[in-house]
Amino acid sequence: MKGPLFYSKILLFGEYGIIRDSKGLSIPYNFYNGALKKTEEPSAEAIASNASLKRFVDYLETLQTEQPELVTFDLTTLKNDVETGMYFDSSIPQGYGVGSSGALVAAIYDKYATNKITVLENLTREKLLQLKNIFSQMESFFHGKSSGLDPLNSYLSIPILINSKDNIEATGIPTQSFDGKGAVFLLDSGIVGETAPMVNIFMENLKDKGFRTMLKNQFVKYTDACVENFLHGDMKSLFTNTKKLSKVVLNNFKPMIPEQFHGIWQHGIDTNDYYLKLCGSGGGGYILGFTEDLERAKVSLKDYKLEVVYQF
């Protein structure tokens, strides 16, 4: 068997902010994907994935028992498939902020949920929120606390605009221009990030009044502005606000930025060659970059591998 492909995602704007009701913008990233599979000769990765799926199935059984009105699964088929070696075959790197667990959650929901909301129906705000809530509970198995956005993006494979916690909508983004000089790119930190500890640091920081004030008056303000600028194709304002956001993150989210990147983060701000921001919860994985001149950014970051996500 081989199930349909589910893609990775990138939260362009909104990491941490959406916990405090900032806007957010999440787009599918088709470079990585995963699918449910079975094989006669499983690799070590397939065996490990299958073992993880067994634990996940136990969790889903409990979830269904405790909240039958939220979601129900064809558990008999799911258990049987897992017992006979099903695994999630994925090229999505784990701990990199591009939604590896989200794609798995989407694949399981798609194949085994009963009365599922499908991509083909009219996706009202209520349905999107219902899906987000289901995915949030399912993905909590992996992270402790999940917004449900990663699986939602992976499941629908369309850009999602987060206006606030209870207001999300499918959206269109400006068309890419492949000969454009401007770009959004991923920078590989070479370190695997752990979501839970990073979120814990953030939650701890929220107890501090000064940190909360900075979030509201700077972080959320610039995040919201970046989302608006990007959606309206106002690239000049986008770079002004991304630079401000990059500075705020460097000054206030240091634990989430691997230490060896503090210098190049500042270098981007000083030279305007590129601006960096967190991709997902940080602590490793990918770092997201924005540049008005991709060639210049490549020269400036010649020691690193850049993956272009979007060009304009």
Side-chain angles (χ1 to χ4, degrees):
M1 69 165 265
K2 182 177 184 318
L5 289 176
F6 288 89
Y7 296 106
S8 52
K9 68 85 200 102
I10 289 172
L11 186 62
L12 281 184
F13 299 103
E15 70 296 326
Y16 291 110
I18 51 178
I19 298 176
R20 301 296 285 186
D21 252 4
S22 78
K23 284 185 183 293
L25 181 62
S26 180
I27 61 170
Y29 182 42
N30 299 356
F31 187 72
Y32 296 118
N33 56 57
L36 292 167
K37 277 188 187 172
K38 278 185 192 171
T39 177
E40 293 302 311
E41 293 164 10
S43 64
E45 286 86 11
I47 292 165
S49 167
N50 175 258
S52 169
L53 273 179
K54 281 185 179 146
R55 293 190 295 274
F56 188 38
V57 171
D58 292 341
Y59 171 81
L60 293 179
E61 190 167 20
T62 308
L63 180 66
Q64 175 172 314
T65 309
E66 289 173 358
Q67 301 186 51
E69 72 296 337
L70 177 75
V71 64
T72 54
F73 301 94
D74 176 357
L75 285 171
T76 312
T77 310
L78 173 55
K79 283 180 171 172
N80 185 49
D81 284 345
V82 171
E83 285 305 320
T84 51
M86 183 173 77
Y87 66 102
F88 191 58
D89 183 30
S90 169
S91 66
I92 307 170
Q94 290 186 354
Y96 263 68
V98 287
S100 52
S101 57
L104 167 59
V105 166
I108 294 284
Y109 177 83
D110 179 65
K111 190 163 168 61
Y112 300 100
T114 52
N115 304 324
K116 69 178 181 183
I117 295 169
T118 72
V119 186
L120 302 171
E121 49 196 281
N122 175 21
L123 288 167
T124 59
R125 185 182 296 174
E126 285 68 32
K127 283 182 182 165
L128 282 172
L129 280 173
Q130 194 187 338
L131 268 176
K132 179 176 174 286
N133 188 20
I134 291 167
F135 289 150
S136 159
Q137 303 267 350
M138 287 175 72
E139 199 183 30
S140 292
F141 170 76
F142 300 99
H143 293 321
K145 186 179 190 321
S146 156
S147 69
L149 280 169
D150 288 6
L152 185 65
N153 207 298
S154 191
Y155 183 62
L156 301 174
S157 229
I158 47 176
I160 292 166
L161 170 63
I162 302 108
N163 293 304
S164 65
K165 279 195 188 72
D166 340 324
N167 182 349
I168 54 176
E169 56 185 299
T171 187
I173 56 174
T175 313
Q176 291 210 57
S177 141
F178 291 104
D179 47 5
K181 287 173 75 174
V184 181
F185 61 86
L186 292 173
L187 186 65
D188 188 346
S189 72
I191 306 160
V192 173
E194 287 270 346
T195 301
M198 293 295 129
V199 174
N200 290 342
I201 292 171
F202 177 76
M203 291 305 193
E204 204 49 45
N205 287 346
L206 280 179
K207 294 176 183 169
D208 178 70
K209 186 167 181 285
F211 187 81
R212 289 199 305 273
T213 306
M214 173 280 302
L215 264 190
K216 182 168 168 244
N217 297 343
Q218 296 176 41
F219 188 75
V220 170
K221 181 179 150 189
Y222 299 141
T223 296
D224 287 359
C226 285
V227 171
E228 290 296 324
N229 299 156
F230 186 85
L231 288 178
H232 293 119
D234 179 356
M235 295 309 165
K236 188 173 184 299
S237 303
L238 174 71
F239 282 99
T240 305
N241 287 312
T242 304
K243 181 175 185 175
K244 289 174 180 169
L245 187 59
S246 186
K247 277 184 187 167
V248 170
V249 172
L250 183 58
N251 293 333
N252 298 282
F253 289 80
K254 279 230 165 64
M256 286 77 167
I257 305 169
E259 208 160 303
Q260 61 272 44
F261 287 90
H262 292 182
I264 65 161
W265 199 289
Q266 185 65 51
H267 179 74
I269 295 167
D270 294 343
T271 59
N272 296 317
D273 286 354
Y274 54 86
Y275 306 123
L276 300 180
K277 63 184 290 298
L278 295 172
C279 179
S281 53
Y286 284 118
I287 293 166
L288 205 50
F290 287 73
T291 178
E292 288 183 86
D293 186 334
L294 182 59
E295 291 316 308
R296 205 169 81 207
K298 280 181 175 167
V299 172
S300 209
L301 293 164
K302 62 180 188 305
D303 299 337
Y304 300 91
K305 194 169 127 258
L306 304 191
E307 271 177 41
V308 175
V309 172
Y310 184 91
Q311 265 179 285
F312 44 80

